Amino acid sequence: MSLTDPLDPVTAEILRANLVAITDEMKSNLRRTAYNQIIYEAQDFTVGLFDRDGDTVSVGLGLPMFVGGLSRAVKAKIAHYGHDGIEPGDILLTNDPDIMGSHLNHMIFTLPVFADGEIVAFASSMAHWMDVGGVLGGTTTDIWSEGLQVPMVKIYRRGVLNEEMLDLIAANVRFPELAMGDLRAQIAAIRTGERRVGALVERYGTRTLTQGFHDLYARGEALARKAVEQIPDGTYTAATTMDDDGVNLGVPVPIEVSVTVEGSDLTIDLSGVAPQVTGYFNSGMTAGISAAQVAFKFLTTPDAYPVNEGALRPVRVVLPPGRVVSATKPAAMRWWMTYPMTIIDCVFRALAQAVPEGTIAGHHADIGVMNLIGTDPASGRFFVFNGAAQGGGWGARAHKDGEDATICVNDGDTHNTPVEVTEAKYPSLLVERYALRADSGGPGQRRGGLGTVYDVRTEGPARLNTFVERTHSAPWGIAGGAAALPNRVSLITPDDELVSFPNGKIDSRPLAAGERVVIETGGGGGFGDPRTRPVARVLADVRAGYVSVAEARAAYGVALVAEPLAGAGEALFVRSDAETPWHLDEAETERLRGA
């Protein structure tokens, strides 16, 4: 029997479920043992199992953009050392941006799984370390200014820790206790994978396990091809612009994608994406390919688990080197994740021309992070607050309103950090407000999701960096739906003066005690004509505070009247739209919708 021959269905399903469970356990172990808040709260990491050649077998649900980075890193390590150069107990480490396509904060640890003296699989983890050195300011123009670069190394060799390498890493980061804690957590996670896969080998044997891998690939490919066949053949394009690269302020960066469907094959061409930029918004080839694959997975088999190599076989990505999502050294990549989000959005927008009911309107496409650097006045401790990744609005679909306050598309399973945790970890910061942003969702028959408002006051002097994009390119609607509000960054002085900015990027701005940073994420675009949204849904949105009375009238053609206050005069009371008992003005609504 060939290794690629299908298994019997019962064994295949048992192995599939086991592989999903293993990566779930790896993920849980890493999250529970990490020292870094961005890992244990925000879940900015991914773990996975890979076959002998480095193809993805199962990935623990996390950041979708990490799937390609992990597989590419495993394959690069195999190419570097060769199978014969990797021994039991070796743990391979790198954060090379040319390999993984992202910033230096991502450390990738890989452990081989041996059976009968041969490598049968690899367990790997990729996680965001809070600090890897580099300049603290927001603007970087080359990779060397962004921190410690770790080439391909064996952090463990035959089970023995490389103490000198560990000392080198610790000496180059600002918070070594966090870094070493996260290092141990990542190693614990991949050792969990090694043990669990070893148990499967003992139970089923290497041949059956390998057949199980190939069975997963075959089933994943078949499901994906069936989904592609439902899309009419043709070539579809979409384009937009990013605000700027953080250095050449006000100079838009064009993004254009082309999607070609031929039978069960789909090609995503990113040749029209802008060349790599001077600023820090570049990402490597792996990130550009991963963005295309994430869009493909969303469109074809979003609920099929585990995520594996077979499910991505029907998509081909055309991406020349030197683009902003295929940048080459020494491009700066500190904020690598932002442009790929809009790549994904544009793939959805392109295919909305072919299958509007099968895609989604534009979303806020940013993590809405602020970076505050200072010293806590009470304790005297230096701190670096890397923000709380904010949710925003997702686009509406044919049969559903967009999701409110949801993390951007390529950050997947990332969570926002609870206000209580932020204030406990950073006593000199006070979160004044974290709320939904009214009227931010794009009007439509299906309304776009709402963005959020995150308002933080600093109790002592600090320096502020923000990296927010898409403050000018609003999330678009589809099928007649309207655009949403874009992202926005502003300050409020201790005297309540509002300070606005031309874009969402602030570089090392000094903050005085009492100043507030306000980041508002955009909403999601609407789907369908807003004037066809059921009147009852519009009224419910107003009563919930999602849509204002003025927006209900202007965008949806729904007129509302307030129930008069009993007793004292109306002028003595101030009521928000959500607090006011609104009722439908049927005659005026009929007139507005008729017009």
Side-chain angles (χ1 to χ4, degrees):
M1 177 181 283
S2 167
L3 291 176
T4 58
D5 287 342
L7 290 173
D8 70 89
V10 174
T11 303
E13 177 57 21
I14 291 172
L15 284 174
R16 185 200 69 82
N18 268 277
L19 293 167
V20 172
I22 291 169
T23 47
D24 282 350
E25 184 181 0
M26 292 168 65
K27 178 181 176 181
S28 179
N29 284 358
L30 176 49
R31 184 185 179 194
R32 290 175 182 273
T33 56
Y35 281 43
N36 180 353
Q37 184 175 314
I38 201 170
I39 297 178
Y40 66 75
E41 286 289 353
Q43 299 191 50
D44 192 347
F45 70 92
T46 300
V47 298
L49 297 175
F50 305 84
D51 67 17
R52 174 181 169 83
D53 298 320
D55 287 330
T56 304
V57 173
S58 177
V59 173
L61 296 184
L63 272 71
M65 285 290 292
F66 281 7
V67 174
L70 268 177
S71 178
R72 176 82 185 276
V74 174
K75 290 179 178 180
K77 291 170 180 176
I78 295 171
H80 181 79
Y81 290 104
H83 286 104
D84 293 339
I86 302 173
E87 301 178 276
D90 286 353
I91 296 181
L92 317 176
L93 168 65
T94 189
N95 72 341
D96 187 340
D98 286 343
I99 293 172
M100 61 186 181
S102 59
H103 59 193
L104 299 174
N105 299 74
H106 294 153
M107 295 290 179
I108 303 180
F109 294 81
T110 304
L111 175 64
V113 181
F114 278 81
D116 299 324
E118 296 289 332
I119 297 173
V120 296
F122 291 91
S124 192
S125 67
M126 180 176 184
H128 181 118
W129 287 16
M130 186 178 77
D131 177 81
V132 288
V135 300
L136 283 173
T139 300
T140 53
T141 57
D142 63 56
I143 195 67
W144 293 289
S145 61
E146 296 184 339
L148 173 67
Q149 298 183 62
V150 182
M152 211 80 72
V153 299
K154 292 187 177 184
I155 192 72
Y156 276 79
R157 188 180 294 272
R158 299 179 187 175
V160 178
L161 176 64
N162 184 339
E163 297 280 0
E164 292 177 341
M165 190 67 214
L166 198 70
D167 291 342
L168 188 151
I169 294 172
N172 279 276
V173 300
R174 292 181 178 86
F175 306 97
E177 69 282 1
L178 296 181
M180 296 303 101
D182 292 340
L183 180 148
R184 291 190 295 270
Q186 288 188 254
I187 290 174
I190 59 179
R191 282 179 170 158
T192 298
E194 178 193 31
R195 288 195 303 273
R196 297 293 182 254
V197 172
L200 286 181
V201 171
E202 288 183 10
R203 181 176 179 183
Y204 292 101
T206 302
R207 172 174 286 274
T208 298
L209 181 66
T210 304
Q211 284 181 278
F213 294 165
H214 288 286
D215 190 89
L216 274 178
Y217 302 157
R219 286 195 286 171
E221 181 178 2
L223 287 172
R225 290 195 178 280
K226 184 176 180 180
V228 174
E229 288 170 353
Q230 307 307 308
I231 304 173
D233 284 1
T235 297
Y236 312 95
T237 61
T240 188
T241 58
M242 311 303 292
D243 294 346
D244 54 57
D245 70 348
V247 172
N248 301 297
L249 301 181
V251 179
V253 179
I255 301 291
E256 181 178 336
V257 306
S258 175
V259 182
T260 299
V261 181
E262 295 178 299
S264 66
D265 292 305
L266 187 144
T267 300
I268 298 175
D269 189 341
L270 303 181
S271 301
V273 174
Q276 66 188 66
V277 293
T278 304
Y280 47 89
F281 282 91
N282 298 290
S283 53
M285 177 79 72
T286 302
I289 294 172
S290 294
Q293 291 175 335
V294 168
F296 179 80
K297 178 66 175 171
F298 268 66
L299 289 162
T300 54
T301 56
D303 298 322
Y305 303 122
V307 178
N308 65 77
E309 189 266 344
L312 303 175
R313 283 177 177 169
V315 63
R316 184 174 76 94
V317 183
V318 178
L319 179 56
R323 300 297 194 267
V324 76
V325 289
S326 60
T328 58
K329 207 166 186 176
M333 296 189 185
R334 172 168 280 178
W335 227 243
W336 73 283
M337 73 294 285
T338 301
Y339 287 7
M341 300 180 206
T342 295
I343 297 286
I344 295 169
D345 253 9
C346 283
V347 173
F348 295 156
R349 190 180 196 181
L351 286 176
Q353 302 165 50
V355 282
E357 71 286 347
T359 185
I360 186 171
H363 82 310
H364 65 290
D366 200 276
I367 55 177
V369 162
M370 67 180 74
N371 171 243
L372 290 168
I373 303 164
T375 301
D376 178 34
S379 66
R381 292 185 63 186
F382 172 74
F383 69 87
V384 177
F385 174 61
N386 282 322
Q390 279 181 250
W394 276 43
R397 291 167 282 169
H399 306 293
K400 195 174 188 299
D401 288 350
E403 300 294 336
D404 302 324
T406 301
I407 295 295
C408 51
V409 62
N410 66 353
D411 271 43
D413 205 26
T414 306
H415 293 191
N416 64 2
T417 301
V419 168
E420 296 82 359
V421 172
T422 295
E423 294 181 341
K425 294 287 184 180
Y426 302 93
S428 60
L429 303 180
L430 180 67
V431 181
E432 294 275 3
R433 184 184 181 210
Y434 190 21
L436 293 175
R437 184 184 180 191
D439 286 340
S440 58
Q445 182 182 40
R446 301 294 181 183
R447 174 181 52 76
L450 298 182
T452 57
V453 180
Y454 194 72
D455 182 344
V456 178
R457 187 176 78 211
T458 176
E459 303 287 10
R463 279 188 291 150
L464 170 68
N465 298 292
T466 62
F467 316 91
V468 176
E469 254 290 343
R470 297 280 295 273
T471 63
H472 297 293
S473 174
W476 48 79
I478 59 175
L485 292 183
N487 302 307
R488 183 167 64 181
V489 177
S490 54
L491 295 180
I492 299 175
T493 69
D495 298 327
D496 288 331
E497 177 188 352
L498 181 67
V499 181
S500 299
F501 298 92
N503 64 11
K505 302 175 184 72
I506 302 171
D507 180 16
S508 297
R509 187 186 194 277
L511 293 181
E515 284 197 277
R516 291 157 56 190
V517 185
V518 182
I519 294 187
E520 297 169 276
T521 54
F527 184 102
D529 183 356
R531 300 284 172 128
T532 63
R533 184 169 176 80
V535 170
R537 298 291 297 274
V538 179
L539 179 58
D541 283 345
V542 172
R543 287 174 171 170
Y546 298 163
V547 174
S548 67
V549 173
E551 178 82 346
R553 183 183 183 92
Y556 293 95
V558 174
L560 302 175
V561 292
E563 180 180 295
L565 281 170
E570 178 80 23
L572 297 177
F573 295 85
V574 178
R575 301 189 300 192
S576 69
D577 284 357
E579 296 169 324
T580 303
W582 295 104
H583 297 281
L584 180 67
D585 183 335
E586 294 185 9
E588 181 64 3
T589 297
E590 185 175 350
R591 186 190 72 79
L592 290 171
R593 290 203 157 189

